[in-house]
Amino acid sequence: MKFVDEAYIDIAAGDGGNGCASFRHEKYKEFGGPDGGDGGRGGHVFAVADSNLNTLIDYRYARRHEARRGQHGMGSDRFGAAGDDITLKMPVGTVLSDAETGEVLCELMTPGEQVMIAKGGDGGFGNLRFKSSINRAPRQKTPGWPGEKKSLKLELKVLADVGLLGMPNAGKSTFIAAVSNARPKIADYPFTTLHPNLGVVRVGPEQSFVVADIPGLIEGASEGAGLGHQFLRHLQRTRLLLHIVDIAPFDEGVDPVAQARAIVAELKKYDKALYEKPRWLVLNKLDMVPAEQREARVKDFVRRLRWKGPVFEISALTREGCELLVQAIYRHVRAEQEAAAPQEELDPRFTER
């Protein structure tokens, strides 16, 4: 299935039905009085988060979504029926914003979350509503109210615990394939990854986390160069960033330290909050470095980069060092989840005095 993470749609809630001006006409009932009912409410438009969806492709081709209008009121005290609501299923992590103003209307963060995005118009009043002791034959009625109409921008930000950063061909797809159930396309040319890949990493029984692999970044990505800039927003909800670096580039003229600095610079230009997220350095493709040279090369890389954070040495191809990295990631993600979880307030009657 083609991955689509941005779409524009037009939605329209149903208009309310008109009220009815009617009088009771029945044999031997000369003054039956008013009996015009109210119009029905127009249908609402809802958005619901569906965990079974992972792309907005359904809305790339179906751009217009309208709810039914309410039924008009009728005589004999009959009120119009409400219009049918419509529910739009969207992936978890979808951000809905006004296409004209850019104002964010809502974010669907939890599976099953439902939000009303367009309210149906109220039905009009029939003349039954206007009768009184001094107005026994009212002929007033009101039309139904129009439903809300909006142009929306849908933007998907995938929900993942860990995001992978790196240059093209740094080994991100190989890593996610080695530690998770994801099977991304892997090849020896740049920009093999064309869209984000999600993988669930199983650490143990009921112990797992989600990894997101995005297309490789290049210098100038924050201004729109390359492919990765289109998907940098997918890293904004991650708890941890893994900066994967090819420690043994095929081209001897390429400096891995300069590439690593360029990635960090693009991250800072794109979003300061993303730059300040916890970030670990992962030196990949150690199987391409002779065993006696590994320690010296790693120390030289860390010294030149002036890196002060955690450093992991792995080979995604042979899976050397991957298990140690996965265990460390899970401990970090678990600690972050526990810190973010709301604390339950204990009933003071059951607390120790």
Side-chain angles (χ1 to χ4, degrees):
M1 177 184 292
K2 182 179 179 182
F3 183 85
V4 175
D5 67 340
E6 191 173 278
Y8 291 85
I9 62 173
D10 296 319
I11 60 172
D15 298 336
N18 299 328
C20 176
S22 174
F23 293 90
R24 183 179 179 186
H25 295 284
E26 191 176 339
K27 194 173 183 180
Y28 305 120
K29 296 291 184 181
E30 187 177 356
F31 302 104
D35 66 352
D38 297 346
R41 167 187 64 79
H44 302 315
V45 181
F46 293 95
V48 63
D50 189 340
S51 58
N52 295 318
L53 300 177
N54 54 17
T55 177
L56 293 171
I57 192 169
D58 294 338
Y59 301 100
R60 174 63 62 88
Y61 306 105
R63 302 286 297 272
R64 180 77 180 174
H65 302 272
E66 296 182 4
R68 298 291 297 272
R69 71 167 300 149
Q71 189 178 10
H72 299 314
M74 294 167 283
S76 302
D77 298 341
R78 291 177 294 175
F79 285 32
D84 294 333
D85 301 332
I86 61 173
T87 301
L88 306 179
K89 295 182 179 181
M90 301 178 183
V92 179
T94 301
V95 180
L96 291 85
S97 56
D98 191 294
E100 298 177 357
T101 64
E103 177 188 2
V104 175
L105 303 180
C106 63
E107 298 186 23
L108 304 176
M109 299 293 292
T110 56
E113 180 181 1
Q114 182 170 288
V115 179
M116 181 191 296
I117 53 179
K119 183 179 181 299
D122 294 328
F125 289 156
N127 65 341
L128 182 62
R129 293 273 189 174
F130 297 97
K131 70 177 181 180
S132 66
S133 60
I134 59 174
N135 186 12
R136 298 187 179 184
R139 286 172 170 77
Q140 299 101 314
K141 64 175 181 178
T142 60
W145 290 86
E148 293 182 336
K149 296 177 175 59
K150 297 178 181 177
S151 295
L152 299 181
K153 177 184 178 182
L154 309 182
E155 188 178 20
L156 176 60
K157 297 181 181 179
V158 297
L159 298 180
D161 300 305
V162 182
L164 305 184
L165 279 174
M167 298 290 285
N169 280 40
K172 301 184 297 300
S173 296
T174 306
F175 173 75
I176 197 174
V179 301
S180 76
N181 59 352
R183 292 296 175 264
K185 182 179 180 181
I186 300 173
D188 59 354
Y189 52 85
F191 301 114
T192 307
T193 302
L194 300 178
H195 57 78
N197 294 301
L198 289 182
V200 178
V201 181
R202 306 276 180 195
V203 182
E206 299 183 1
Q207 296 179 343
S208 63
F209 58 88
V210 180
V211 179
D213 168 29
I214 70 167
L217 299 178
I218 62 174
E219 192 169 358
S222 59
E223 282 81 29
L227 296 175
H229 74 282
Q230 302 173 15
F231 304 104
L232 274 170
R233 59 174 172 271
H234 293 306
L235 299 177
Q236 292 177 331
R237 288 174 174 159
T238 58
R239 303 177 187 273
L240 174 67
L241 298 178
L242 297 184
H243 187 173
I244 297 182
V245 178
D246 181 358
I247 195 67
F250 182 77
D251 186 355
E252 296 181 357
V254 174
D255 185 5
V257 176
Q259 290 187 334
R261 287 175 178 165
I263 293 291
V264 174
E266 294 304 321
L267 203 64
K268 190 173 184 179
K269 289 179 184 177
Y270 180 79
D271 186 358
K272 188 70 178 294
L274 189 59
Y275 169 77
E276 293 174 351
K277 279 183 178 290
R279 190 167 67 254
W280 293 357
L281 183 63
V282 179
L283 303 180
N284 190 24
K285 302 187 181 181
L286 280 184
D287 58 298
M288 303 293 293
V289 181
E292 64 276 8
Q293 299 180 14
R294 291 183 183 179
E295 184 177 357
R297 184 173 295 194
V298 169
K299 285 184 178 180
D300 179 67
F301 182 92
V302 173
R303 179 185 59 81
R304 292 172 56 204
L305 187 60
R306 298 180 182 178
W307 179 257
K308 304 296 182 182
V311 180
F312 293 86
E313 305 166 28
I314 70 167
S315 170
L317 184 64
T318 64
R319 304 194 179 188
E320 179 185 352
C322 290
E323 183 62 27
L324 180 66
L325 175 57
V326 165
Q327 294 291 340
I329 292 172
Y330 178 75
R331 289 193 295 269
H332 177 86
V333 169
R334 183 65 179 171
E336 290 276 332
Q337 291 174 340
E338 292 177 351
Q343 299 293 329
E344 295 184 3
E345 294 185 4
L346 297 176
D347 192 316
R349 295 174 296 174
F350 299 101
T351 56
E352 297 183 2
R353 294 185 181 276

